[in-house]
Structure formats: C-alpha cells, structure tokens
C-alpha cells in the first residue's frame, strides 16, 4: 500500500496550515512520521495509538530529533476528550501499521465517534486531515461510512477538500481535508 505521494501532500498541508501556536493532534501515531512533522510546526502535539509498538517507534524518532513538545498517549482516539479539549489541527492516518498486524486497524464506529468529538471541539479556523484506505475490507467500510458522514456536515460551517487518484485501480487511498470556517467566513 504505497502512498508516498499523498503522504507528501499531507505534510505539505501541515506546512501550510499548522500555525506555530497551534495545538495539534495525531489521532493515529503509528510509526511517528506525522507526529514528528506536526511537532516541528506546532506548539504542542498530543498523539494517540493503541499499540505499544507505535509509542516506542514514535518516541525513538522524537528523541533522535530532541523534540519534547509531544505527549504520547496509549489509548483509543475516541477517548480524546479525556486528555485535551481544545485544538487547531487534527490528523487521522487510518488503517493499520505498515508491516504490522493488519488485524489492528482503525474501525468504522470508533473512527466516526472520534471524528464527531473532534468536529465538536476543534477551534474555529481549524483543520482535520484524514487519509483513508478503502483497499482493505475494514477500510472500505470505513470509507463508505465517512463519505455518508461528510455529507451531513453543513457546508456553511465546513469546507471539505478531497484529493484522490481517480485513474488508478484497486481502491487507492485518498486524502480529505476539512476546514472549520471561522465566524467571519474565512
Ligand atoms: C496507518 S497507521 C498510522 C501511520 C502514522 N500516522 C505514521 O506517520 O507513521 C494507523 C495506526 O492507527 C492505529 N490505530 C488503530 N486503531 C486506533 C484507535 N482506535 N485509536 C488510536 N490509534 C489506532 C494503529 O495501531 C496504527 O498504528
């Protein structure tokens, strides 16, 4: 499941929209690439994963770069509000750990619940980026459910951008960016 190009674009989005006073959340820490990138831009990052391996890999990456503005949390992301309730930039990179146990993957119900909490607490002007992988069974279910969910969001409150690879076979991943519009319309 190679998606280097989309990952590069997702990091470009962070470069563009993460402000240096921002509180950022990595909802799926994994190997820590996104956590590290966010930490280099934001004031503080809270990163979640349910696997010890993810916390170990990520800590190693952060230590190597002497980065200390990150809180690593071993918990499922739908419990986010137990840890932090105000934030500006949120990243979901769904699915399973590359080269890890494919059974330990994000699940439709908890992903939707987590997204619901994030949308109701993110600051005005904030962004949520979601990398979605419909190429495996749970990911396919998740992508359909997310698509239905996105349709329920009021376009006066949220702008939603989708970047996909329409001419590629085999259900390639795609990237969604949700922007919560500021009260002044920006
Ligand atoms: C595609 S990987 C993330 C890649 C990561 N962002 C990176 O930069 O390396 C997906 C991760 O989501 C984690 N995950 C699955 N279900 C989760 C949940 N309910 N809460 C938090 N993390 C979860 C998996 O353990 C896996 O590490």
């Amino acid at each position: 499941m190679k998606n280097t190009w989309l990952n590069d674009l997702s990091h470009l989005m962070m470069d563009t929209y993460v402000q240096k006073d921002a509180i950022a959340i990595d909802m799926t820490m994994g190997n820590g690439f996104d956590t590290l990138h966010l930490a280099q831009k934001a004031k503080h990052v809270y990163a979640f994963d349910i696997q010890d391996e993810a916390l170990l890999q990520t800590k190693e990456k952060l230590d190597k770069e002497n980065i200390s503005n990150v809180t690593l949390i071993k918990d499922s992301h739908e419990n986010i509000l137990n840890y932090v309730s105000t934030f500006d930039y949120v990243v979901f990179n769904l699915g399973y750990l590359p080269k890890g146990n494919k059974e330990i993957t994000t699940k439709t119900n908890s992903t939707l619940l987590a997204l619901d909490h994030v949308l109701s607490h993110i600051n005005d002007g904030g962004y949520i980026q979601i990398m979605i992988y419909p190429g495996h069974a749970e990911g396919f279910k998740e992508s359909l459910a997310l698509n239905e969910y996105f349709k329920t969001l009021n376009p006066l409150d949220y702008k939603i951008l989708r970047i996909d690879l329409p001419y590629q076979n085999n259900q390639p991943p795609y990237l969604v960016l949700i922007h919560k519009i500021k009260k002044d319309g920006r």
Side-chain angles (χ1 to χ4, degrees):
M1 208 172 6
K2 276 213 172 11
N3 67 329
T4 325
W5 196 25
L6 287 179
N7 275 323
D8 290 348
L9 286 172
S10 84
H11 285 188
L12 276 177
M13 286 176 177
M14 295 175 198
D15 293 345
T16 306
Y17 297 121
V18 178
Q19 307 290 319
K20 58 179 185 305
D21 60 350
I23 301 299
I25 316 285
D26 188 347
M27 298 293 269
T28 50
M29 176 191 323
N31 288 320
F33 292 103
D34 295 330
T35 303
L36 173 62
H37 206 81
L38 285 170
Q40 289 165 333
K41 302 280 156 200
K43 180 174 166 201
H44 197 86
V45 181
Y46 295 84
F48 292 84
D49 207 291
I50 49 177
Q51 298 195 63
D52 287 323
E53 195 189 332
L55 277 85
L56 286 172
Q57 293 285 342
T58 303
K59 186 175 181 323
E60 196 179 303
K61 269 198 189 63
L62 298 173
D63 288 349
K64 217 180 253 174
E65 301 292 332
N66 280 319
I67 283 181
S68 57
N69 59 334
V70 180
T71 305
L72 301 181
I73 299 165
K74 188 181 172 214
D75 199 352
S76 184
H77 45 215
E78 78 265 29
N79 298 323
I80 177 173
L81 299 179
N82 293 342
Y83 302 90
V84 53
S85 57
T86 172
F87 36 80
D88 308 283
Y89 203 97
V90 178
V91 174
F92 288 83
N93 192 338
L94 299 174
Y96 46 81
L97 252 185
K99 297 183 191 149
N101 181 349
K102 295 187 180 174
E103 300 297 315
I104 308 177
T105 186
T106 53
K107 300 269 174 19
T108 305
N109 287 348
S110 43
T111 300
L112 289 175
L113 198 55
L115 181 56
D116 216 42
H117 291 326
V118 163
L119 281 164
S120 60
H121 282 76
I122 193 163
N123 289 327
D124 286 352
Y127 292 86
I128 302 159
Q129 64 173 69
I130 313 173
M131 188 81 80
I132 301 169
Y133 298 85
H136 62 109
E138 183 60 37
F140 187 71
K141 238 174 75 185
E142 202 173 30
S143 77
L144 293 180
L146 281 168
N147 199 40
E148 291 309 308
Y149 185 90
F150 296 150
K151 287 185 202 166
T152 68
L153 298 178
N154 186 340
L156 296 175
D157 295 329
Y158 302 98
K159 286 183 193 159
I160 306 181
L161 168 77
R162 175 173 159 159
I163 300 177
D164 54 10
L165 301 157
Y167 307 111
Q168 199 169 303
N169 295 327
N170 304 327
Q171 309 282 3
Y174 58 95
L175 180 60
V176 169
L177 184 68
I178 304 174
H179 178 44
K180 183 172 184 186
I181 299 167
K182 276 191 183 164
K183 294 280 179 274
D184 62 7
R186 283 184 296 143

